[in-house]
Structure formats: structure tokens, C-alpha cells
Amino acid sequence: MSKMHVTATVNGDEVEFLADPRETLLDCLRDHLDLTGSKEGCGTGDCGACSVMLNGRLVPSCLVLGVETDGATIETIEGMAPEGALHPLQRKFIEHAALQCGFCTPGFLVAAKALLEKNPDPSESEIRYWLAGNLCRCTGYDKIVRAVQDAAAEMRGAA
Amino acid sequence: MVEVNLWSGLRKFTDGAEVVEVEGRTVGQLLDGLVAIHPGLAPVIESGISVAVDGEVITGGRNTPVEPDSEVFLMQQIKGG
Amino acid sequence: MAKDEITKDFKWIGTTPDRPDGLDKVTGRARYGADFNLPNMLYAAVVRSPHAHAKILKIDASKALALKGVKAVVTRADLPTGLTGEDLYLQENTLAGEKALYDGHAVAAVAATSQLLANDAARLIEVEYEVLPHVTDVDKAMAKDAPVILPDCADHTVPEGMGPNVARMIEFGRGDLEAGYAEADVVHEQSYTTEATHQGYIEPHAAVGQMGSDGKGEMWVCTQGQWFIRKMCSAVLGTDPAQLRVTPSEIGGGFGGKTTIFMEPLPLALSRKAGGRPVKLVMSRSDVLRATGPTASASMDVKMGMKKDGTITAAEVTFRMQGGPFPGASPVGEALSCAFACYDIPNLMHVGYEVLANRPKCAAYRAPGSPMAAYAVESMVDELCRELSLDPIDVRLKNGVKEGSRASYGPKFKTIGLAETLEAAKAHPNYAVKLGPNQGRGVASGFWFNHGGETSVSLAISEDGTAQVSVGTPDIGGSRASIALMTAETLGIPYENVRVNIVETGALGVNEPTHGSRATFASGKAMWEAANQAIKEMCKRAAQKWDIDPEAVTWKDGAAHPAGDNAGQFEPMSIKEIAAEMGKTGGPISGHHESTPSGAGPSFGTHVVDVEVDPETGRVTVLRYLVTQDAGRAIHPQYVEGQYQGGAAQGIGWALNEGYIYGEDGKLQNSVFLDYRVPVASDLPMIDTVIVEVPNPGHPFGVRGVGETGITPPLPAIANAIHAATGARLRALPMNPPAVLAAIKAMA
Amino acid sequence: MRYHAPATFDEAVSIAAAASGVTRFLAGGTDVLVQLRAGSVTPDDLIDLKKIPGTHEITALPDGGWRIGIAVSGAMLGAHAQLVADWPGVVEGMELVGSTQVQGRATLTGNLCNGSPAADSVPGLVAAGATVTILGPNGSREVPVEQVPVKPGKTVLEPGEIITAITLPPRGTKGGDAYLRFIPRTEMDIAVVGCAVSLTREGDTITAARVALGAVAPTVLLDEACAQAIIGTTLDDAALDALAGAASRAAKPISDKRGTKEFRVEVAGVLARRAAKIAYERAAK
């Protein structure tokens, strides 16, 4: 099967890769662009570990084909601390011990960032429902919710 | 002599005894002594058991010392998650 | 160690600094099992049985091998013969032999130059089956006329006349049951069932393996225990463990499910057949649910007698558990030993049966066996408390074990903290919240033994006085942080000056996995021994410089000091000064320790949950949740809380919605996260915690393992709360809405 | 697998007409990619409709109705304030499909074409009286949504036919709709039972109603008896009881891994009652 040429903007950089039409965006990020921060936990859009921003919208990259993203703008976890300075969410996740094994963490961070861009002051319930598509099996979510609340408060203060 | 407490399922190998007096200064010696007295226990001990000495559950240590007045229990082997 | 020797004045222990691996894990840099690639690497796919039980008549891989880019196919014929016992079962589970024993059982594997090609090739491997009758239900598997899964599976414990799938029988007890029941005012007897659940770690199993024709190999793998991987893969492949070097990746959750092998020998076997090219194999979620190691399903009978004042006079259980198609995998022994571990009961009997079934080979899952046992026993205690109108915490305090109590499984307990967790629960504001209509409160306690296990640690002082610690227990929930804190405390240096490395099998002696809640306990204890060796050496170097007796030097706050005025007047010599000169004063300074440490103190916990039940739909909403548990000593309290909260969340999932669903055809019907329903963020409230600290005398800092106990009480606590809210008693898990609604309707 | 990204619907139809093997269309992709991943369906030709101009648009029609492009995601639907004000039940049905992430991908058309009786967005469309425009080699036709699913996994679409848009009728004044579903968790499930109610009030009296039930039959049901139970009433207790009874009677479910038959019958009535109350309140605004 012939591969297709794809040009996209990933974390601000223009990238090119060859994708088999059957490969997902997640496959392409991980295998062709060596961006392994996005994880595959299910491959069916049920766990959120592969969350990325595609043209400004939060999507599961396992449910997007690589070939669909020609011309698209993509942001992944690797683009969250571009100059090395952590995003407030990243700092608060560490401070609040909002991760144990850390496998779901990139997906949570990308999803939580999308939430705070849309809603800078979410309630606990809004955080929980927004993040319902991000499974975490270690933490019971308590510390994750607190980290998002704290990051939101800090970002509101800074704004 | 040390008193070794068995679980009741083992009685069929020990002529009904739940407590067996064995000579030994280590866990390993006790286990060997048990098998010498009641050979039927050999497969049980070989297939893996835990031993509690004075309340301490010992999984591997045949060399763990045992005092004559130590409280010794044979237990089901415990695995963890 | 005597209790009064355990100090309480710590500089680092009990603080909550950032975890050492935090930055890697929030930036996507941390490398997990599937994040690793090697040059010239091949990709593997596995062919799995679509049948629950079938004879394998023929495997024809010729079409797959004809595809350009397909480099190797392995079947059972490529593995050595003559294995016995657990090694044989591991091999049989890696690749089916004469029969496929469950839906998803691996039958063949293929390696090719791309993942897509490997997947295509796997579909071209033709397997001819003769489908056999199957059994997946534990009670049906017990029957005498059940399909035979493994001929002659019964060991010496099984009496004559049992069904063909009963592999083991366990029996232990004490006292006089009949006399005990005669003393009781109420005697109840009930049966309970639990369905199999999966650990549900978010990271699927993944490995890259490489092995030459000389049997020398390398492996990168997500695992709780790299030495177990080494030993088990070597056994399955017939190679030497010392010739296989296993490097653990970061691990995306395990909960016991990554303490053994499933597909891990396959990349090695494929590599060996493909001329030594490295091979990567990553499981799909569906593979994980179908063909890794869930916990057992259980069918349990409980009988208990209680006096009007709440005294439990006698109790007995009979547990039947299936652990998949091989003996030795079910946690029935652990379940029996945990069943009454919270109670001091004079008259007890435990009977257990391990049963084979056409389901995946069970693995450990967080406090294996204890949650099912607690569901049965703690529900029964609640039934009796309600009948006698007694407060459930008071009854547990009255009967609860304490130091010196004889455990239900035999020996006497040393220092333990069950009563303290009960008191903490009773004193917590949650226990006083007034409940509204359709709301109810449930209480339950739980127990786990904790474990020492084979442990090797080495510690080295760097030239600048910082320290590196090499441990063999993968960091699954923050153990780098806890071990670094204990190292800083022991050496008297800043936390930031310690680096804890999780090392490969070539770098240390044997270690058991991170299981049995042992990482902080056992690796921490071994680190302490190793650090003290290094300290002794540093004191020696200072003594040499001061020209005094080494015994006259003590270590305090990261420096050597003269032990007293008689030792001489010298300025303290810091670790930095000593380290800077170590090359000239006798060489590198390090310490190491290898042992199977004893002294792992059990951890008890008590949970209090409030639920609201929608009487029209049976939906259970968890309103508030409290965990009180004895940590012995919380080294990094945030990660202790994390263990409590995570355990509670997994238990809530098990109680309410998780469970394997097998069809009449013996196939798993819910092998995706859409239908295998783990709790999502919006399903749970904040989970309140109280860290009780009754120091464990078996550890230099008083540590008890904290990982496992927390999953034990939620199952019965929620059942008890649902009963309080509705009057309906749910004696089968999961207590999902159809089950709860049916129970409510059955009362009307 | 060949991937096509046609620029017009006509081009898409001609690609499909020329294809001889398994053909799938890509709107949101949340079902197609799962099947692809599982290896259960690997199309020979995959036709991505998202690059066709207009497919991402929500258009207000002159008569007060709405046209929804086939690539409009759930997230876009939920962000459209006017559409939400008119048809909150339709939008909430779509917003229940999958996670926030899936909402960035999944579409009404895709959910409909998947042909699942449990599809969350379909009862709302049926209750609303929505129609779809179908384009095929033989031209275009307009079909009510309730006629699109034929049986589980099968729709009225002939080979080579595609849906080009969904049309919602004018809401008018004093109308309201609502969709409720039952799932065991709070999120991330497919309906065990779903119920949508759309109604119109004059004062306190219901003058028109459509009630649709999901996951209780091989296709989403539009039930006339349910509607009759509340038309002409003020949705008093007697009407609600009648509605619940009618919904439970209409339900002809099976027992499966998501729920038992008895549970579904019972809860169909519970949800109908609750959804009707919400729709009734919304119609007053």
C-alpha cells in the first residue's frame, strides 16, 4: 500500500511525514515524528491518554487518521513547556502529587489546558465532567482535580 | 523441641495432629524435621508455604533462627499485588 | 528494633517535596514500555484463539510467511519441551500447546518490518480448531460433570470424588464452631459472589526484545519486576537467566498485573528466529483484557454467630475461586487468610477450593483475595450489626485484633493499628454528617499482610558528596521519592542531592518485583543498611584523618563528628569534604545490602462511605468517601494519600460497575474500556483520607506497606451503604443499576 | 486501503460508485477508526467527506429551521448558542456521545449512519422531526431520520449513497425538547436506555409532542402512544403515569452486556417521565 505525504504544523514546527492511510495520528506522532509523549491506552477513544489539540480542538489522536491532518495544526504534550518553563498545570500536577505512574498524565494535561482556555474558573463538577474521558487508574482523581483547580486559580491571578 | 502449628487441612498427613514437636534451631531444620516425622507433608512444603515465627511471616528464609519457645505456624503462601 | 528506638524527629521524612521523576512525567519525556525503539527493529503481532476451549489441529503460517517483510513466525513448536509446574503453565500461557484454554489465548506470533504488516500477517495465519465444551463460571466449573480443562489437575489436598477442575483444597481453623454458635444470640449464613475484575492499568503491556542464537538477550519492558521477567522468560525459552539483561521502562500502572509474564517471551522468541533482530510487541487494550491476568471470580459462603453485645463467637467461610485454566493462580489461600484477619474470634473454620475455568490465567491484583473475602465477611458483620442494632464501628472495635491477638491465620500480631483506624473513622466529621432520603452510610475494615521479599540495593557517594541509590523495585507510585527522602534522612544530606535509579538486572543482585506493598518498606530498609555501611566508611576516613579510633567518630547532619570530648577536638568533616578526597583516602565509598527482609508489618484500614441510590433506576452515587489506614510512618504523605485514594477508587469500580462478562459462547464480551467500566472522574467525589501512624517496629523508620489494603474495604462498605439507603442487601458484585433496581423491586 | 478526500459531494458519490470493495465514509471517524483498529472492518476505499466545503457549517434557514453540515462535531454543535436555544435536546443528545475528546470528532451524521439502536444523538433528532438529505448516483432525496436506521448496523442508504446534510424544522414558539439516557457511569458509556421528548405548549397545555426511545428495540422508536399520552394534558401526574406506562409498553428490548430487558423496560418509563418534564419546562421559556 502506498503511503501519502503529509505536511502539518506540530508544536509550532512544520513537519513532514509519510503515512499509510491506516495509521492514526497517534501512530504518526509516535512512530514517524518520535513524539512519544502521547500514549495509547485503548485505541478506541475511551481513555484520553492520546489527547492532542487538532486545529484548536481537543481530540483523541487515536481516532484521527494521520493522512487527514495534511495542513493541520497540532499541539501535543511536548509543546506544553516550549522554552523549558513548565505550564502552571504541569507545575501543579507535580506539587499536588497528581500523578502516580504518570502514563495518563500527558493526556490529562493537554485536556486540562483545553478546559482552562475555554473556562478559566471551572467548578469541581465541570472539571470532573470535562476530564471524564481521561482515565486514571492510580490516583482516584482527587489530586488531579485539586491540581487543576489550583492551576486555574494561579492563572486567573496572573491574568 | 519447638512446637510447630499446622493448618487443619494438614492433619491427614500427621495422624490427626495439629501441633507437631520438632527438633531444630532454624526454620529449615524444622521443616526438614517435620518431613522426617511425617513424610506426607513433603509435597506441601515443596509446593511453597509461608512460615510465621513469633508473628513474623517468613517467605523464604530457611536460615531464620528459631528458639525453643518460639511460636511457629505453617501458613498458606502469600503473594502480593 | 524496639519501639522506643524509632525516632520521631525527622528532617526529611514526612515532608512532601516534588517527586524526582515529576518533570519527566509532566513533559512526556518519561519513557514507558512502548516508547522505546531500536535500529533494525521488527514489529510483532499475536494470533489469539477465538474459542474458550478448543483443540488446535493445525497451524498454517505459509501465507503469512510468503508476505514480503515477514521475518518470523513462532508457535509452541518453537519452545522447548519438558517443563513442569509453574514454568510449564507460564509456557502454556505464552503460547497454547495442544489446546487453547480461553478466549484470547495466544496461539502464534509473527514479526515483520512494520506493525501494519505484522497485523496483516497475523490475519493470514490459519489455525484449525476443534471446539470443545467450555466452562467459565466458578460454580459450574466445580461440578463433577464439568468439561475437563487440564486432566489430573488436582494436587494432594483434593479429596476423592470432587469435580475434575478442583485443583486444590485448603482447610484451616481453630476452636469449636458448634460451641461458638451455641453461645451466640444470632447466627446468620449467607452466600456471596464477586465477578472477575482487571487491574485496568492504563499502559498496555509492551516490550522490545532481542536475542541471538547464542541465547544472549536484551529486553526493555514495562514490568513491576525485571528479575521475574528474566527468570520467567528464560524458563519459557529454555535459556540462562544470567544471559538475559532486562531493563524496566517507566511503568504505566500494574497493581499486581505486571508481576508475571504474558507475551514477554514472544519478542525474544521471534528475535531468536529472525536472526537476532530486535522485536517490539505492544498489546492492544482488548488483548490486555482478554489475555493478561485479571483477578479471580469468587463464590463464597459465610456463617457467623454474634452475641447481643456484639461479640463474635464463631465464624466460618467456604470460598470457591477460579484462577483461570492453570493451578496455583487463584488467590484463594490469601482470601482465606484475610477473611477474618480483622477479628479476634475464638472459633473459626476456613475452607477453600481452587477451581480451573476457561478464563485467562489470574495474576495478582492489589491485596489478592482480600477484597472478595472482605465483601463476604464484612457484609455479614454488617448484617448482624443491623439485626442487633449495633454501631458497626463499635462492633469492630469490640472484636478487632490488636497487639498480641492471635490472627485468624495462626500467629500472634505484633504492633498493629486497626483500632486506631476505627477511632479515626469515628472521630471524622464524615461519620457525623446527617443523611437525607435514599442515602445510606456503610462501614468496613480491611487488611493486608505486606511483604518483604528478596531485595538488593546499592548506594554510592559521588565525588561531590551527593548520593546515588540503585534499587530494583520499579517506581509505580512515587517510590523514588520515598526512597530519596529516607536516603536524605539517613545520610543527613538534602533530598535534592540524592538520585534514585531503578536499574536493570545486570546492575544488582536479584530483586522481587514491586509487589506486596514492599518497595518503600524493603528497598527502603535495604537502602538504610547500605547507607549505614557508607556512613561507617566515611567515619573511618575521618578517623584516619584525625588519627583517632573509627569507633570514636559518629555521623550527624551529613558530617563526621568526634563522638565526644574524649575523642578529641575536631571540626566536623562534611560528606562533601570526605567525598572530595575519597580517591586518595582509600577509594570509592559505597554501600550495598542484600537480604530477604523480615518485619513487614500489616496495614489495617477502615472506610466510611455515604451513597445515594436513585430508587427508580438503581443508580448509586458516591456522595463522600473516607479512608483511614495505618501507614506505620508516612514517608511522603501525599503519595501515601494517593495510595489510599487510588485503592478506594479501584474498589468503588469493582463494587459498582466493573466485571468480566462472558457470553454463552465463552467469549469475553466487554474487552474495551467502553464496556469494561472503570470509574471516570465524574463518578467519584473527593476521597478524604486520614493517615494513621502506628510505627512498624520492623522498619528503621516505622514504615508499613500502604499500597494494597485500600482496595479491600470498598466492596463491602458500599454494599453496606446501599443496604442502609434502600434496605436491599446486594450479595453479588457488581452492584450495577440493573442489580440494585432488581433488589429494590424484590423487596416490594 | 485507499484514502480519498473529495472536494464535492458529487465527486464523493462517483468515487463510491466506482469502488468495488468495502467502502466507508469518514465524517467524524469515531466508529470507522475503532473498527479499523480492531481489524473488524478494513475498507478498501475510505472517503473523507470533511474536506467538502460547507460540511462544517451550521446554517440558519429562512423558515427558522437549521441545516447542519455532516462534519459538524459535537463540540461545534454545543458551542452554537442559537441552535442550543432552539433544540437543546438535540444538542444534549449529541454531547453525550463519548468524551470531551470524542466530542471534538464525532458527528450527528456519523452517529446516525453507524446504525446503532443505542446511538445517543438519534432519539433527539427523531423527536425533533429532523430529516436528512441523501445524495446518490440517482440523485437526491429527503428522508425522515426515523427511517434511516433499518436494523442494527444497517441504514436505508444504498451503496454509493451519502447523507449530505441534516435539517431541523423550525422550532417555533413555546416548543421544548429534552433527551435523557441511562448509563451505569456518569459518562463514557452508550445508552442502556434513551428517551427524547419534543413538545409544544399553548399556555399549560401540550398541543403537540413526539417521543423517541433509544436502545429498547432494533432501531430508535418514534412512539405515537407516548405522544398521545401527553398531548392535550398539562403534564399532570396522570399524564406522566400514562406516558411512563406507554414508554415501558413500547420498549421491546433485549438483555445484553449493557443491561437487562426488565431494567430497560422499567427505566424507559422513568426516563420518559423525566425528559417530558424538562421539555415541558423548556417550552415555557
Side-chain angles (χ1 to χ4, degrees):
Chain A
M1 312 231 178
S2 61
K3 293 192 171 187
M4 297 175 77
H5 182 263
V6 177
T7 307
T9 302
V10 178
N11 300 328
D13 296 329
E14 191 177 288
V15 300
E16 294 177 62
F17 57 90
L18 290 174
D20 184 293
R22 294 176 292 171
E23 287 177 311
T24 65
L25 172 58
L26 178 60
D27 295 333
C28 295
L29 289 171
R30 291 178 54 86
D31 298 339
H32 301 324
L33 300 174
D34 292 328
L35 294 170
T36 54
S38 306
K39 307 298 182 192
E40 177 160 324
C42 68
T44 52
D46 296 314
C47 82
C50 67
S51 299
V52 301
M53 298 298 284
L54 174 64
N55 295 328
R57 216 176 271 292
L58 181 66
V59 298
S61 60
C62 73
L63 293 187
V64 178
L65 290 176
V67 292
E68 284 180 67
T69 63
D70 192 33
T73 301
I74 298 156
E75 291 160 70
T76 71
I77 184 67
E78 286 90 348
M80 202 158 163
E83 307 298 323
L86 294 184
H87 186 277
L89 278 162
Q90 292 174 306
R91 265 192 292 108
K92 292 299 177 187
F93 265 59
I94 300 176
E95 268 177 46
H96 286 266
L99 57 140
Q100 285 178 28
C101 80
F103 190 79
C104 69
T105 308
F108 266 99
L109 287 167
V110 169
K113 182 165 174 264
L115 169 63
L116 298 189
E117 278 162 9
K118 192 178 135 101
N119 178 358
D121 190 10
S123 66
E124 181 193 333
S125 178
E126 285 168 333
I127 293 170
R128 288 186 180 276
Y129 275 88
W130 182 273
L131 296 175
N134 290 85
L135 298 182
C136 170
R137 195 59 161 168
C138 295
T139 64
Y141 305 106
D142 183 300
K143 294 185 188 308
I144 292 174
V145 173
R146 289 178 202 274
V148 175
Q149 286 174 321
D150 197 14
E154 185 185 293
M155 289 166 71
R156 286 196 306 278
Chain B
M1 295 290 253
V2 183
E3 288 188 355
V4 179
N5 296 271
L6 310 177
W7 69 80
S8 51
L10 299 181
R11 272 179 298 190
K12 58 187 160 195
F13 305 117
T14 59
D15 307 322
E18 265 195 73
V19 180
V20 181
E21 290 213 342
V22 192
E23 197 73 61
R25 304 215 322 263
T26 64
V27 167
Q29 289 169 5
L30 290 187
L31 295 178
D32 295 345
L34 267 178
V35 171
I37 302 169
H38 299 293
L41 289 171
V44 183
I45 289 169
E46 273 161 28
S47 66
I49 52 158
S50 294
V51 182
V53 179
D54 296 324
E56 192 83 64
V57 181
I58 290 149
T59 357
R62 280 178 59 89
N63 296 329
T64 308
V66 183
E67 301 298 324
D69 60 345
S70 284
E71 185 192 69
V72 179
F73 276 83
L74 295 198
M75 288 170 55
Q76 301 293 322
Q77 191 170 23
I78 306 298
K79 285 176 274 186
Chain C
M1 184 164 306
K3 243 186 285 184
D4 52 7
E5 282 178 42
I6 300 173
T7 172
K8 290 197 176 86
D9 301 321
F10 298 119
K11 183 168 166 41
W12 290 104
I13 287 173
T15 65
T16 58
D18 292 352
R19 62 189 289 163
D21 50 336
L23 188 63
D24 283 350
K25 286 178 177 169
V26 299
T27 54
R29 283 207 307 257
R31 287 192 301 168
Y32 293 82
D35 300 341
F36 188 74
N37 296 310
L38 282 173
N40 208 25
M41 190 175 78
L42 301 172
Y43 298 81
V46 176
V47 180
R48 297 184 180 280
S49 168
H51 306 295
H53 196 192
K55 207 167 162 185
I56 297 170
L57 301 175
K58 192 176 151 199
I59 302 174
D60 181 356
S62 54
K63 284 185 189 155
L65 286 164
L67 280 185
K68 205 172 167 190
V70 173
K71 300 296 177 187
V73 170
V74 294
T75 65
R76 185 60 178 281
D78 295 288
L79 302 182
T81 55
L83 276 61
T84 57
E86 177 64 8
D87 288 346
L88 173 63
Y89 301 145
L90 287 170
Q91 191 186 52
E92 187 77 35
N93 199 41
T94 303
L95 279 175
E98 288 175 14
K99 291 199 296 182
L101 297 169
Y102 56 91
D103 169 40
H105 195 169
V107 172
V110 54
T113 51
S114 80
Q115 188 63 59
L116 290 167
L117 188 59
N119 297 348
D120 288 343
R123 280 190 277 272
L124 290 175
I125 296 177
E126 292 167 0
V127 186
E128 253 181 67
Y129 297 96
E130 177 192 329
V131 177
L132 301 170
H134 66 271
V135 61
T136 55
D137 175 80
V138 59
D139 286 316
K140 286 178 187 158
M142 280 280 289
K144 284 188 187 173
D145 60 352
V148 179
I149 295 169
L150 281 187
D152 306 316
C153 70
D155 75 3
H156 56 273
T157 58
V158 179
E160 291 290 311
M162 304 287 297
N165 298 319
V166 180
R168 183 163 59 123
M169 181 192 175
I170 303 169
E171 208 181 344
F172 62 95
R174 66 173 176 234
D176 181 342
L177 281 180
E178 291 316 311
Y181 292 134
E183 265 185 80
D185 293 302
V186 187
V187 178
H188 275 206
E189 198 172 352
Q190 288 294 351
S191 295
Y192 303 82
T193 62
T194 63
E195 195 30 89
T197 53
H198 195 275
Q199 299 83 354
Y201 34 80
I202 310 299
E203 182 198 25
H205 298 250
V208 176
Q210 181 270 316
M211 182 171 270
S213 56
D214 57 359
K216 289 191 171 61
E218 301 263 352
M219 190 163 207
W220 164 277
V221 57
C222 68
T223 177
Q224 291 175 244
Q226 53 274 42
W227 282 267
F228 268 31
I229 292 279
R230 187 179 78 159
K231 179 175 70 173
M232 293 174 179
C233 285
S234 301
V236 166
L237 298 170
T239 55
D240 273 349
Q243 298 299 336
L244 179 60
R245 191 169 73 142
V246 181
T247 304
S249 68
E250 291 300 330
I251 174 169
F255 314 106
K258 291 177 185 165
T259 56
T260 182
I261 56 164
F262 299 102
M263 59 64 173
E264 286 77 4
L266 296 175
L268 294 169
L270 286 163
S271 174
R272 191 163 61 174
K273 215 169 168 182
R277 286 177 73 169
V279 176
K280 181 174 191 170
L281 177 50
V282 182
M283 282 182 129
S284 69
R285 176 55 49 185
S286 171
D287 291 344
V288 169
L289 287 165
R290 285 168 77 204
T292 62
T295 191
S297 56
S299 161
M300 302 172 285
D301 309 326
V302 186
K303 186 174 177 185
M304 185 177 275
M306 193 182 274
K307 287 202 221 173
K308 278 184 187 149
D309 69 355
T311 307
I312 301 171
T313 57
E316 63 187 291
V317 286
T318 301
F319 290 171
R320 296 162 292 273
M321 292 189 178
Q322 66 74 27
F326 306 108
S330 93
V332 65
E334 288 86 345
L336 292 172
S337 297
C338 291
F340 298 113
C342 292
Y343 299 97
D344 193 347
I345 305 173
N347 307 297
L348 282 174
M349 190 63 203
H350 309 75
V351 178
Y353 298 96
E354 173 168 280
V355 192
L356 307 191
N358 293 113
R359 291 197 186 208
K361 182 179 192 280
C362 281
Y365 180 16
R366 210 169 195 155
S370 191
M372 302 86 136
Y375 178 58
V377 170
E378 292 291 272
S379 291
M380 172 58 82
V381 170
D382 197 69
E383 296 191 32
L384 291 166
C385 288
R386 294 206 166 264
E387 166 132 3
L388 295 168
S389 302
L390 298 168
D391 177 84
I393 292 186
D394 289 342
V395 167
R396 285 173 175 83
L397 278 168
K398 189 178 188 77
N399 295 282
V401 286
K402 42 192 178 294
E403 184 165 357
S405 301
R406 184 165 295 290
S408 56
Y409 51 85
K412 281 184 184 155
F413 282 117
K414 295 188 171 178
T415 315
I416 52 172
L418 171 62
E420 287 80 353
T421 70
L422 287 160
E423 296 289 2
K426 205 171 171 179
H428 195 276
N430 283 18
Y431 203 59
V433 174
K434 268 191 97 70
L435 296 176
N438 301 315
Q439 298 182 353
R441 176 166 299 147
V443 174
S445 294
F447 158 86
W448 184 247
F449 305 90
N450 294 330
H451 179 60
E454 292 162 294
T455 309
S456 306
V457 163
S458 85
L459 175 147
I461 307 295
S462 310
E463 300 86 330
D464 63 347
T466 60
Q468 72 177 53
V469 186
S470 299
V471 302
T473 42
D475 183 352
I476 204 161
S479 58
R480 281 188 186 89
S482 65
I483 291 166
L485 282 166
M486 289 185 283
T487 308
E489 192 75 52
T490 310
L491 292 174
I493 61 175
Y495 168 80
E496 294 74 21
N497 287 5
V498 180
R499 173 149 184 162
V500 177
N501 295 314
I502 314 298
V503 300
E504 41 102 350
T505 53
L508 275 183
V510 169
N511 275 276
E512 276 185 33
T514 296
H515 70 165
S517 300
R518 68 181 284 273
T520 295
F521 169 79
S523 288
K525 196 170 176 179
M527 175 288 301
W528 185 77
E529 298 278 2
N532 278 304
Q533 260 181 37
I535 286 171
K536 198 174 170 193
E537 181 62 26
M538 290 190 286
C539 288
K540 196 175 113 192
R541 305 281 169 103
Q544 282 169 345
K545 185 131 187 169
W546 293 333
D547 197 17
I548 63 173
D549 188 57
E551 300 301 314
V553 180
T554 61
W555 191 262
K556 211 179 103 190
D557 298 332
H561 297 252
D565 290 344
N566 292 342
Q569 295 288 331
F570 303 103
E571 283 299 302
M573 194 182 295
S574 72
I575 190 168
K576 199 172 169 180
E577 295 169 67
I578 297 170
E581 295 199 331
M582 66 186 174
K584 291 181 280 185
T585 59
I589 297 170
S590 62
H592 64 99
H593 185 72
E594 295 77 24
S595 69
T596 304
S598 57
S603 180
F604 289 86
T606 299
H607 293 199
V608 178
V609 56
D610 293 348
V611 304
E612 181 167 323
V613 182
D614 180 341
E616 290 185 317
T617 65
R619 173 202 289 291
V620 175
T621 302
V622 179
L623 301 172
R624 58 189 72 80
Y625 202 99
L626 171 66
V627 179
T628 69
Q629 189 183 324
D630 178 15
R633 172 85 62 216
I635 302 297
H636 191 304
Q638 283 180 326
Y639 288 101
V640 173
E641 288 171 3
Q643 289 297 319
Y644 293 1
Q645 291 164 334
Q650 283 187 318
I652 291 167
W654 194 340
L656 293 178
N657 283 309
E658 290 180 40
Y660 270 43
I661 303 170
Y662 279 94
E664 287 295 313
D665 56 3
K667 293 184 193 185
L668 183 61
Q669 298 196 335
N670 55 338
S671 66
V672 291
F673 271 142
L674 181 64
D675 295 313
Y676 183 84
R677 300 186 177 99
V678 305
V680 303
S682 49
D683 291 340
L684 298 175
M686 292 297 187
I687 297 172
D688 302 317
T689 57
V690 177
I691 301 176
V692 171
E693 291 187 302
V694 178
N696 170 23
H699 189 275
F701 300 117
V703 167
R704 296 173 194 277
V706 294
E708 291 173 277
T709 301
I711 198 175
T712 295
L715 285 58
I718 291 172
N720 298 342
I722 292 171
H723 180 266
T726 65
R729 176 62 68 179
L730 277 289
R731 296 194 184 89
L733 295 185
M735 300 179 283
N736 59 26
V740 174
L741 188 63
I744 293 171
K745 296 225 158 252
M747 290 192 307
Chain D
M1 186 176 91
R2 286 171 295 273
Y3 170 80
H4 311 269
T8 66
F9 280 117
D10 288 332
E11 192 187 334
V13 168
S14 57
I15 294 169
S20 53
V22 177
T23 306
R24 284 286 186 279
F25 295 100
L26 197 57
T30 53
D31 292 310
V32 172
L33 264 76
V34 170
Q35 292 162 359
L36 188 61
R37 194 68 172 174
S40 57
V41 182
T42 304
D44 298 295
D45 291 279
L46 184 67
I47 305 171
D48 185 354
L49 303 174
K50 289 193 299 300
K51 312 264 158 126
I52 298 173
T55 53
H56 294 271
E57 282 165 25
I58 299 171
T59 314
L61 300 175
D63 67 353
W66 295 92
R67 176 167 299 129
I68 300 169
I70 52 126
V72 170
S73 68
M76 292 166 74
L77 217 54
H80 198 291
Q82 276 173 286
L83 180 72
V84 173
D86 263 15
W87 292 103
V90 170
V91 175
E92 68 200 359
M94 186 61 218
E95 288 188 314
L96 286 170
V97 175
S99 61
T100 317
Q101 287 85 340
V102 168
Q103 282 294 305
R105 292 285 289 167
T107 63
L108 280 172
T109 310
N111 200 223
L112 177 61
C113 290
N114 195 38
S116 166
D120 272 308
S121 73
V122 178
L125 288 171
V126 169
T131 59
V132 296
T133 309
I134 295 175
L135 181 70
N138 304 320
S140 173
R141 60 192 169 120
E142 200 77 5
V143 176
V145 167
E146 57 268 30
Q147 290 173 20
V148 174
V150 180
K151 62 180 187 185
K154 177 93 183 84
T155 67
V156 74
L157 294 174
E158 299 292 334
E161 283 193 327
I162 50 177
I163 291 177
T164 57
I166 292 181
T167 306
L168 284 165
R171 173 73 273 186
T173 53
K174 296 291 173 198
D177 71 336
Y179 173 71
L180 290 177
R181 64 156 180 196
F182 188 85
I183 55 171
R185 292 182 290 189
T186 51
E187 273 283 354
M188 302 303 295
D189 267 309
I190 289 174
V192 178
V193 185
C195 180
V197 177
S198 176
L199 55 79
T200 315
R201 294 170 59 153
E202 255 172 42
D204 289 343
T205 306
I206 296 169
T207 53
R210 284 165 69 92
V211 179
L213 295 167
V216 294
T219 62
V220 171
L221 298 176
L222 176 65
D223 189 65
E224 185 58 25
C226 286
Q228 288 307 324
I230 54 172
I231 291 172
T233 75
T234 58
L235 206 66
D236 53 12
D237 287 347
L240 286 167
D241 287 347
L243 170 63
S248 287
R249 276 191 300 279
K252 300 280 183 286
I254 54 167
S255 290
D256 66 9
K257 63 187 172 188
R258 298 204 171 98
T260 60
K261 184 176 168 191
E262 298 72 25
F263 180 80
R264 286 183 157 121
V265 167
E266 176 78 22
V267 173
V270 172
L271 292 189
R273 185 193 287 269
R274 292 179 182 179
K277 281 190 197 170
I278 299 169
Y280 187 75
E281 287 305 315
R282 285 176 176 167
K285 286 181 186 153

